Amino acid sequence: MNVAEVKKKPLKNYLGIWGWVWAGRYNVERYLYTLQRVTGLGIILYGILHLTANGMRISGEGLWEDTMSLFENPVFAVGEYLVIAAFLIHALNGLRLILQQLGYTLGAPKPPIYPYSHALQRRRPIVLAMGALGAILLLLILIDFVV
Amino acid sequence: MRQSYFRVLQLITGVAVFFLIAAHVTALRLDDFAGVFGVHIEEPTSWGSVMDRATSAGWASFYIILLAVAIYHALYGLRVVLMELPWPPVIARSLNYIMMGIGIAVFGYGTFIALNAYYS
Ligand code: HEM
Ligand code: HEM
């Protein structure tokens, strides 16, 4: 390949917006970032609806009760569960990110002596712990919702 | 350097918003969980119940603090997402101010709702 050809076809070293969704066969943590983004944006969307619905208070009791009776529809119950689930996932994953950013839970650096363990293996336990905690809480919240 | 303090504030507000929303959602939607903490609110979204809280200074301040903290965290996060999009230079340059504008407007609106009910 000559220089002109290289210039015509620049190497793609970035993924663009598509990378938000799919970056290839990376580890779980890479996709937890996608999840963090999806849940964060989802909660913002809910927040917009929530503040709009809350604004109905200004017009007094009638409009408020009408708005609230709208939410008795089971579709909204499912929506509320999803919002709480998004919140929980975002919070637990966010907590993991905060701990790791401050340097906790990463494990001490080790000299490369056989059998090797790489950094990813050492920081996997907190992902599993947060995942398990999240799954238990999601189940309990589901029970709270249906009972 | 200043930017990194805003980022740290994003993390701090993340932790704060966790406790505030967890309390909010537990009290108003998860009655079994609320029962564990000895809280029980009858029909939390009925007009009477909502107005009881809205006219109490404690709850009103709780909501205004929640508004401020959640708006900061959410808009800082949204800004990170938006910065990755290919905006025309004018918008890219003013993104911070656009976000601040939105934040102040939403906080003003939410605080108005809360105070309007508080003083009713
Ligand atoms: C429940 C407690 C919460 C915690 C602990 C938390 C934590 C975090 C953390 C640490 C990040 C940074 C992720 C990164 O840049 O790597 C983040 C991002 C974000 N958060 Fe939260 N958050 C919480 C609640 C919320 C709420 C209630 C909203 C919406 C109102 C929200 C919206 C966002 C958004 C939009 C992002 C940007 C995601 C991205 O950069 O891709 N978060 N959160
Ligand atoms: C799905 C569960 C939720 C339910 C049932 C719920 C219900 C309510 C109700 C009834 C109010 C009116 C105030 C009151 O009665 O005390 C309120 C206010 C508020 N909620 Fe929620 N909420 C939920 C989730 C959330 C989430 C996830 C957020 C964060 C994005 C949030 C943020 C707020 C804020 C900021 C206010 C105050 C609004 C104002 O006074 O301007 N809520 N909520």
Side-chain angles (χ1 to χ4, degrees):
Chain A
M1 219 191 279
N2 61 36
V3 177
E5 267 178 83
V6 173
K7 269 194 180 152
K8 236 188 286 166
K9 261 180 137 191
L11 283 176
K12 277 249 165 81
N13 63 350
Y14 63 92
L15 294 163
I17 294 167
W18 181 239
W20 291 1
V21 185
W22 181 245
R25 287 183 50 204
Y26 275 91
N27 49 335
V28 203
E29 287 83 351
R30 176 59 177 72
Y31 289 99
L32 286 178
Y33 145 86
T34 304
L35 202 58
Q36 184 74 1
R37 189 156 276 198
V38 170
T39 51
L41 294 177
I43 302 167
I44 290 182
L45 196 66
Y46 175 77
I48 296 171
L49 288 171
H50 197 45
L51 282 186
T52 312
N54 255 311
M56 303 301 165
R57 265 190 291 182
I58 294 175
S59 317
E61 179 167 2
L63 190 55
W64 173 263
E65 291 295 357
D66 286 351
T67 314
M68 286 303 119
S69 64
L70 212 69
F71 299 145
E72 278 160 21
N73 190 313
V75 174
F76 283 100
V78 174
E80 281 177 346
Y81 183 75
L82 290 179
V83 169
I84 297 179
F87 166 71
L88 196 65
I89 293 168
H90 188 94
L92 290 178
N93 191 46
L95 204 60
R96 178 182 70 89
L97 291 168
I98 292 173
L99 288 174
Q100 294 192 338
Q101 174 139 31
L102 299 179
Y104 297 105
T105 75
L106 296 174
K110 283 197 197 130
I113 298 168
Y114 189 84
Y116 310 113
S117 76
H118 55 74
L120 267 184
Q121 287 167 335
R122 290 198 293 273
R123 70 188 200 208
R124 187 56 47 82
I126 184 161
V127 175
L128 299 176
M130 288 300 187
L133 183 60
I136 294 172
L137 285 172
L138 281 178
L139 189 67
L140 289 177
I141 292 171
L142 185 64
I143 294 171
D144 193 316
F145 256 68
V146 290
V147 179
Chain B
M1 213 31 222
R2 218 172 66 209
Q3 277 84 343
S4 67
Y5 289 119
F6 289 133
R7 161 77 191 166
V8 172
L9 197 55
Q10 154 91 343
L11 303 184
I12 295 171
T13 52
V15 176
V17 97
F18 169 66
F19 288 107
L20 296 173
I21 296 187
H24 175 60
V25 167
T26 304
L28 295 186
R29 193 64 181 81
L30 303 172
D31 46 348
D32 292 346
F33 275 92
V36 175
F37 299 101
V39 176
H40 182 71
I41 303 175
E42 218 39 77
E43 294 219 38
T45 57
S46 69
W47 177 256
S49 178
V50 168
M51 277 305 160
D52 273 353
R53 284 188 300 278
T55 49
S56 100
W59 277 102
S61 351
F62 174 91
Y63 279 120
I64 291 170
I65 292 170
L66 171 58
L67 266 170
V69 178
I71 290 172
Y72 180 87
H73 183 89
L75 288 184
Y76 188 98
L78 188 61
R79 171 180 160 277
V80 174
V81 177
L82 292 181
M83 279 197 308
E84 292 177 21
L85 297 175
W87 298 103
V90 205
I91 298 190
R93 264 198 312 270
S94 29
L95 191 60
N96 289 351
Y97 296 102
I98 297 175
M99 299 320 272
M100 282 192 251
I102 297 177
I104 292 169
V106 175
F107 181 72
Y109 169 71
T111 309
F112 172 70
I113 300 174
L115 291 183
N116 184 273
Y118 181 70
Y119 288 111
S120 68

